Amino acid sequence: MEASRKPLQESRSRVWTGGKEHFSGDASAHSKLGHVYWLNSAVASSGWFSCYTHGYLMPCLLGEELASRGRAYGQSGKDRPGETFVSLEEAGTRQSLSKENYSSVSEFILLGFSSESQVGKTLFTFFLLLYLTTLLGNGFIVTLIYLNSHLHTPMYFFLNILSLVDMSYVTTTVPQMLVNMVDPRMTISWGACIAQMFIFLVLGIAECVLYAIMAYDRYVAICFPLHYTLLMSHPTCIKMVTVCWSISIAGALIYTVFTMHLPYCGPHKINHFFCEVPALLKLACADISLNDWLDFILGFILLLVPLFLILASYIHIFATILRIRSSQGRLKSFSTCASHITAVTMFYGPAMIMYMRPGSWYDPERDKKLSLFYNVVSAFLNPIIYSFRNKDVKGAFLKVFGNRGTAH
């Protein structure tokens, strides 16, 4: 597949095209070389044709005029070294196979982490426990915030949404991964792959924007404490969350549409544990330079812009904290921000490496570990970070469950 994104270097075949303009081996020049259309013979032999366009090999279909002619023209004795002659009948057959290959992609194979049965059983147990613990921990945060009226503040309103997002985030990927660990086929249908990719992106982008909103909430609380209830009213919080989901859905749609419109002509093996954009692009038998640029631009908008807002918020927060005369007051202000800074670092670091690096830096084994970290590990650790380091959450826990224990 990598050959489909490199300039034409291999031996070539020539086929009569009825005088249509074409590209020669030089990508910068359009010419007519005796009504001959150059094809990459190495790729053509695999069942699909490549046209040399804009310096890259691109999948193409031969014209109706070619299909209607009974033979191909050319003198094989005068062919250049390294060229092979392709008959029209063979060309028509391969064209049909090409069309069939494009339309026959009904499922993908997710290779996951290990094919060894013993290692697979160990990983299955580990990820199952990790998944259940993640659901339990985030569910605990959601329940606690719902039951304790003292936690009905903007800060915990956003934390509640973050916990719901994390529960959904891991549910999008981990159950499918667990199924593939016990199912020898390890398959996922085309529709399920699209759905998984879209939902994963929606939740991932939502988490990026949500971290920025939470940083702004801390900025208002510390820098403008007297105006906090006015600036962070409940209607304002609802509007922020609505904008967050709107950005997430729009970004996920762009990613998904531009990824799934590409032709995938096999092998349909995704070297990942779920359908993630960088891994899927590696299976495309077309030029993906546009997708690489799109990934970088969207990564800049959806990752770097929220991160910049987070950094700007905390620069103002730290400047304000340093002006507080009381050491106890400074410590309390720092403690309210420590949890958020830890969660942001764990999520943004791996995500930026994954979605903002050049396509040439692709490493499937490293990418699987990065995805596992910002998808599963981050969601697992968030309840621990926000509960054990937060006096309000620990106090609410003792109040809710302590009272119930006393009542019984």
Side-chain angles (χ1 to χ4, degrees), residues 115-148:
S115 57
E116 298 180 14
S117 58
Q118 195 61 38
V119 176
K121 291 178 182 178
T122 304
L123 289 176
F124 177 87
T125 304
F126 172 74
F127 285 122
L128 177 61
L129 292 175
L130 189 66
Y131 174 61
L132 294 176
T133 306
T134 302
L135 293 182
L136 186 64
N138 284 281
F140 164 75
I141 295 289
V142 172
T143 304
L144 197 61
I145 292 173
Y146 174 78
L147 292 177
N148 193 292

Short mmCIF file of all heavy atoms in Angstrom, two decimals, residues 115-148:
data_model
loop_
_atom_site.label_atom_id
_atom_site.label_comp_id
_atom_site.label_asym_id
_atom_site.label_seq_id
_atom_site.Cartn_x
_atom_site.Cartn_y
_atom_site.Cartn_z
N SER A 115 -1.69 -12.17 19.30
CA SER A 115 -2.40 -13.32 18.74
C SER A 115 -2.15 -14.60 19.54
O SER A 115 -2.75 -15.63 19.27
CB SER A 115 -1.94 -13.54 17.28
OG SER A 115 -0.54 -13.72 17.22
N GLU A 116 -1.26 -14.55 20.52
CA GLU A 116 -0.98 -15.72 21.35
C GLU A 116 -2.12 -15.93 22.33
O GLU A 116 -2.54 -15.00 23.03
CB GLU A 116 0.33 -15.55 22.09
CG GLU A 116 1.54 -15.42 21.17
CD GLU A 116 2.85 -15.26 21.94
OE1 GLU A 116 2.83 -15.51 23.17
OE2 GLU A 116 3.85 -14.88 21.32
N SER A 117 -2.61 -17.16 22.42
CA SER A 117 -3.80 -17.45 23.22
C SER A 117 -3.59 -17.17 24.71
O SER A 117 -4.46 -16.60 25.38
CB SER A 117 -4.21 -18.91 23.03
OG SER A 117 -3.15 -19.78 23.40
N GLN A 118 -2.41 -17.56 25.24
CA GLN A 118 -2.16 -17.36 26.67
C GLN A 118 -2.06 -15.88 27.01
O GLN A 118 -2.62 -15.42 28.01
CB GLN A 118 -0.86 -18.09 27.07
CG GLN A 118 -0.70 -18.26 28.57
CD GLN A 118 -1.81 -19.10 29.20
OE1 GLN A 118 -2.27 -20.08 28.59
NE2 GLN A 118 -2.26 -18.72 30.38
N VAL A 119 -1.34 -15.15 26.18
CA VAL A 119 -1.22 -13.70 26.39
C VAL A 119 -2.58 -13.04 26.21
O VAL A 119 -2.95 -12.12 26.95
CB VAL A 119 -0.19 -13.09 25.41
CG1 VAL A 119 -0.15 -11.57 25.56
CG2 VAL A 119 1.18 -13.69 25.64
N GLY A 120 -3.36 -13.52 25.24
CA GLY A 120 -4.69 -12.97 24.98
C GLY A 120 -5.61 -13.13 26.18
O GLY A 120 -6.38 -12.22 26.51
N LYS A 121 -5.55 -14.27 26.85
CA LYS A 121 -6.38 -14.49 28.04
C LYS A 121 -6.00 -13.55 29.17
O LYS A 121 -6.87 -13.02 29.88
CB LYS A 121 -6.25 -15.95 28.50
CG LYS A 121 -6.88 -16.96 27.55
CD LYS A 121 -6.65 -18.38 28.04
CE LYS A 121 -7.24 -19.40 27.06
NZ LYS A 121 -6.99 -20.80 27.50
N THR A 122 -4.71 -13.35 29.34
CA THR A 122 -4.23 -12.43 30.39
C THR A 122 -4.69 -11.01 30.10
O THR A 122 -5.17 -10.30 30.99
CB THR A 122 -2.71 -12.48 30.50
OG1 THR A 122 -2.30 -13.84 30.73
CG2 THR A 122 -2.21 -11.60 31.63
N LEU A 123 -4.53 -10.58 28.83
CA LEU A 123 -4.95 -9.24 28.44
C LEU A 123 -6.46 -9.08 28.57
O LEU A 123 -6.94 -8.01 28.98
CB LEU A 123 -4.51 -8.95 27.01
CG LEU A 123 -3.01 -8.74 26.77
CD1 LEU A 123 -2.73 -8.56 25.29
CD2 LEU A 123 -2.51 -7.53 27.55
N PHE A 124 -7.21 -10.13 28.23
CA PHE A 124 -8.66 -10.07 28.35
C PHE A 124 -9.07 -9.80 29.80
O PHE A 124 -9.91 -8.94 30.08
CB PHE A 124 -9.28 -11.38 27.85
CG PHE A 124 -10.77 -11.43 28.01
CD1 PHE A 124 -11.60 -10.91 27.03
CD2 PHE A 124 -11.36 -12.01 29.13
CE1 PHE A 124 -12.98 -10.95 27.16
CE2 PHE A 124 -12.73 -12.05 29.28
CZ PHE A 124 -13.55 -11.52 28.28
N THR A 125 -8.49 -10.55 30.73
CA THR A 125 -8.80 -10.37 32.16
C THR A 125 -8.42 -8.97 32.63
O THR A 125 -9.18 -8.30 33.34
CB THR A 125 -8.07 -11.43 32.99
OG1 THR A 125 -8.40 -12.74 32.51
CG2 THR A 125 -8.44 -11.31 34.46
N PHE A 126 -7.23 -8.53 32.23
CA PHE A 126 -6.74 -7.22 32.66
C PHE A 126 -7.65 -6.09 32.15
O PHE A 126 -8.07 -5.22 32.92
CB PHE A 126 -5.31 -7.00 32.16
CG PHE A 126 -4.78 -5.61 32.37
CD1 PHE A 126 -4.41 -5.18 33.64
CD2 PHE A 126 -4.68 -4.72 31.31
CE1 PHE A 126 -3.94 -3.89 33.85
CE2 PHE A 126 -4.22 -3.43 31.51
CZ PHE A 126 -3.83 -3.01 32.78
N PHE A 127 -7.98 -6.10 30.85
CA PHE A 127 -8.79 -5.04 30.28
C PHE A 127 -10.24 -5.10 30.75
O PHE A 127 -10.90 -4.06 30.87
CB PHE A 127 -8.73 -5.08 28.76
CG PHE A 127 -7.44 -4.57 28.18
CD1 PHE A 127 -6.65 -5.38 27.38
CD2 PHE A 127 -6.99 -3.29 28.48
CE1 PHE A 127 -5.45 -4.92 26.86
CE2 PHE A 127 -5.79 -2.81 27.97
CZ PHE A 127 -5.02 -3.63 27.16
N LEU A 128 -10.73 -6.29 31.03
CA LEU A 128 -12.09 -6.41 31.57
C LEU A 128 -12.17 -5.76 32.95
O LEU A 128 -13.10 -4.99 33.24
CB LEU A 128 -12.50 -7.87 31.63
CG LEU A 128 -13.89 -8.16 32.23
CD1 LEU A 128 -14.99 -7.49 31.41
CD2 LEU A 128 -14.14 -9.67 32.33
N LEU A 129 -11.19 -6.07 33.82
CA LEU A 129 -11.17 -5.46 35.15
C LEU A 129 -10.97 -3.95 35.07
O LEU A 129 -11.60 -3.19 35.81
CB LEU A 129 -10.06 -6.10 35.98
CG LEU A 129 -10.25 -7.57 36.38
CD1 LEU A 129 -9.02 -8.11 37.09
CD2 LEU A 129 -11.49 -7.72 37.26
N LEU A 130 -10.10 -3.52 34.15
CA LEU A 130 -9.85 -2.09 33.97
C LEU A 130 -11.12 -1.37 33.51
O LEU A 130 -11.45 -0.28 33.99
CB LEU A 130 -8.72 -1.88 32.96
CG LEU A 130 -8.18 -0.46 32.80
CD1 LEU A 130 -7.48 -0.01 34.09
CD2 LEU A 130 -7.21 -0.39 31.63
N TYR A 131 -11.83 -1.99 32.59
CA TYR A 131 -13.08 -1.41 32.06
C TYR A 131 -14.14 -1.30 33.15
O TYR A 131 -14.78 -0.25 33.32
CB TYR A 131 -13.57 -2.26 30.90
CG TYR A 131 -14.92 -1.86 30.35
CD1 TYR A 131 -15.12 -0.60 29.79
CD2 TYR A 131 -15.99 -2.75 30.38
CE1 TYR A 131 -16.35 -0.23 29.27
CE2 TYR A 131 -17.22 -2.39 29.87
CZ TYR A 131 -17.40 -1.13 29.32
OH TYR A 131 -18.63 -0.77 28.82
N LEU A 132 -14.34 -2.38 33.90
CA LEU A 132 -15.36 -2.38 34.96
C LEU A 132 -15.01 -1.38 36.07
O LEU A 132 -15.89 -0.69 36.59
CB LEU A 132 -15.51 -3.79 35.55
CG LEU A 132 -16.06 -4.86 34.59
CD1 LEU A 132 -16.07 -6.22 35.27
CD2 LEU A 132 -17.47 -4.49 34.12
N THR A 133 -13.72 -1.28 36.39
CA THR A 133 -13.29 -0.32 37.41
C THR A 133 -13.51 1.11 36.94
O THR A 133 -13.91 1.98 37.72
CB THR A 133 -11.80 -0.54 37.75
OG1 THR A 133 -11.59 -1.90 38.12
CG2 THR A 133 -11.38 0.36 38.90
N THR A 134 -13.25 1.35 35.65
CA THR A 134 -13.48 2.68 35.08
C THR A 134 -14.94 3.07 35.14
O THR A 134 -15.28 4.20 35.52
CB THR A 134 -12.98 2.72 33.62
OG1 THR A 134 -11.59 2.38 33.57
CG2 THR A 134 -13.18 4.10 33.01
N LEU A 135 -15.81 2.15 34.78
CA LEU A 135 -17.25 2.42 34.86
C LEU A 135 -17.68 2.66 36.30
O LEU A 135 -18.49 3.56 36.58
CB LEU A 135 -18.05 1.25 34.27
CG LEU A 135 -17.92 0.99 32.76
CD1 LEU A 135 -18.81 -0.18 32.35
CD2 LEU A 135 -18.28 2.24 31.96
N LEU A 136 -17.16 1.85 37.21
CA LEU A 136 -17.52 1.99 38.63
C LEU A 136 -17.04 3.33 39.18
O LEU A 136 -17.80 4.03 39.88
CB LEU A 136 -16.91 0.83 39.42
CG LEU A 136 -17.30 0.74 40.90
CD1 LEU A 136 -18.79 0.47 41.04
CD2 LEU A 136 -16.50 -0.36 41.59
N GLY A 137 -15.80 3.71 38.90
CA GLY A 137 -15.25 4.95 39.43
C GLY A 137 -15.95 6.18 38.90
O GLY A 137 -16.33 7.09 39.66
N ASN A 138 -16.17 6.23 37.58
CA ASN A 138 -16.87 7.38 37.01
C ASN A 138 -18.35 7.40 37.39
O ASN A 138 -18.92 8.47 37.59
CB ASN A 138 -16.72 7.37 35.48
CG ASN A 138 -15.35 7.82 35.03
OD1 ASN A 138 -15.04 9.00 34.99
ND2 ASN A 138 -14.48 6.86 34.69
N GLY A 139 -18.93 6.22 37.51
CA GLY A 139 -20.32 6.14 37.98
C GLY A 139 -20.45 6.64 39.41
O GLY A 139 -21.45 7.28 39.78
N PHE A 140 -19.43 6.37 40.22
CA PHE A 140 -19.41 6.85 41.60
C PHE A 140 -19.40 8.39 41.64
O PHE A 140 -20.13 9.01 42.41
CB PHE A 140 -18.17 6.30 42.31
CG PHE A 140 -17.82 7.00 43.58
CD1 PHE A 140 -18.55 6.79 44.73
CD2 PHE A 140 -16.74 7.88 43.62
CE1 PHE A 140 -18.23 7.45 45.91
CE2 PHE A 140 -16.41 8.54 44.79
CZ PHE A 140 -17.16 8.33 45.94
N ILE A 141 -18.58 9.02 40.77
CA ILE A 141 -18.52 10.49 40.71
C ILE A 141 -19.88 11.06 40.31
O ILE A 141 -20.38 12.02 40.93
CB ILE A 141 -17.44 10.94 39.71
CG1 ILE A 141 -16.05 10.54 40.20
CG2 ILE A 141 -17.51 12.45 39.47
CD1 ILE A 141 -15.55 11.31 41.38
N VAL A 142 -20.50 10.48 39.30
CA VAL A 142 -21.81 10.96 38.81
C VAL A 142 -22.86 10.84 39.91
O VAL A 142 -23.64 11.77 40.16
CB VAL A 142 -22.23 10.17 37.56
CG1 VAL A 142 -23.67 10.51 37.16
CG2 VAL A 142 -21.29 10.46 36.40
N THR A 143 -22.88 9.68 40.59
CA THR A 143 -23.87 9.45 41.65
C THR A 143 -23.67 10.40 42.82
O THR A 143 -24.64 10.97 43.37
CB THR A 143 -23.77 8.00 42.15
OG1 THR A 143 -23.93 7.11 41.04
CG2 THR A 143 -24.83 7.70 43.20
N LEU A 144 -22.42 10.61 43.19
CA LEU A 144 -22.11 11.48 44.33
C LEU A 144 -22.53 12.92 44.05
O LEU A 144 -23.11 13.59 44.93
CB LEU A 144 -20.61 11.41 44.63
CG LEU A 144 -20.16 11.91 46.00
CD1 LEU A 144 -20.81 11.09 47.11
CD2 LEU A 144 -18.65 11.86 46.10
N ILE A 145 -22.25 13.39 42.85
CA ILE A 145 -22.63 14.77 42.50
C ILE A 145 -24.15 14.92 42.47
O ILE A 145 -24.71 15.94 42.89
CB ILE A 145 -22.01 15.15 41.14
CG1 ILE A 145 -20.48 15.25 41.27
CG2 ILE A 145 -22.57 16.48 40.63
CD1 ILE A 145 -19.76 15.45 39.96
N TYR A 146 -24.83 13.89 42.01
CA TYR A 146 -26.29 13.94 41.94
C TYR A 146 -26.91 13.95 43.34
O TYR A 146 -27.89 14.68 43.59
CB TYR A 146 -26.80 12.73 41.14
CG TYR A 146 -28.30 12.63 41.13
CD1 TYR A 146 -29.08 13.43 40.29
CD2 TYR A 146 -28.96 11.70 41.95
CE1 TYR A 146 -30.47 13.32 40.29
CE2 TYR A 146 -30.33 11.58 41.95
CZ TYR A 146 -31.09 12.40 41.12
OH TYR A 146 -32.46 12.29 41.11
N LEU A 147 -26.34 13.17 44.27
CA LEU A 147 -26.95 13.02 45.59
C LEU A 147 -26.63 14.18 46.53
O LEU A 147 -27.42 14.46 47.44
CB LEU A 147 -26.49 11.70 46.23
CG LEU A 147 -26.98 10.41 45.57
CD1 LEU A 147 -26.38 9.19 46.26
CD2 LEU A 147 -28.52 10.33 45.61
N ASN A 148 -25.48 14.83 46.35
CA ASN A 148 -25.07 15.88 47.29
C ASN A 148 -25.34 17.25 46.70
O ASN A 148 -24.73 17.65 45.70
CB ASN A 148 -23.58 15.71 47.63
CG ASN A 148 -23.18 16.55 48.83
OD1 ASN A 148 -23.18 17.77 48.76
ND2 ASN A 148 -22.84 15.89 49.93
#
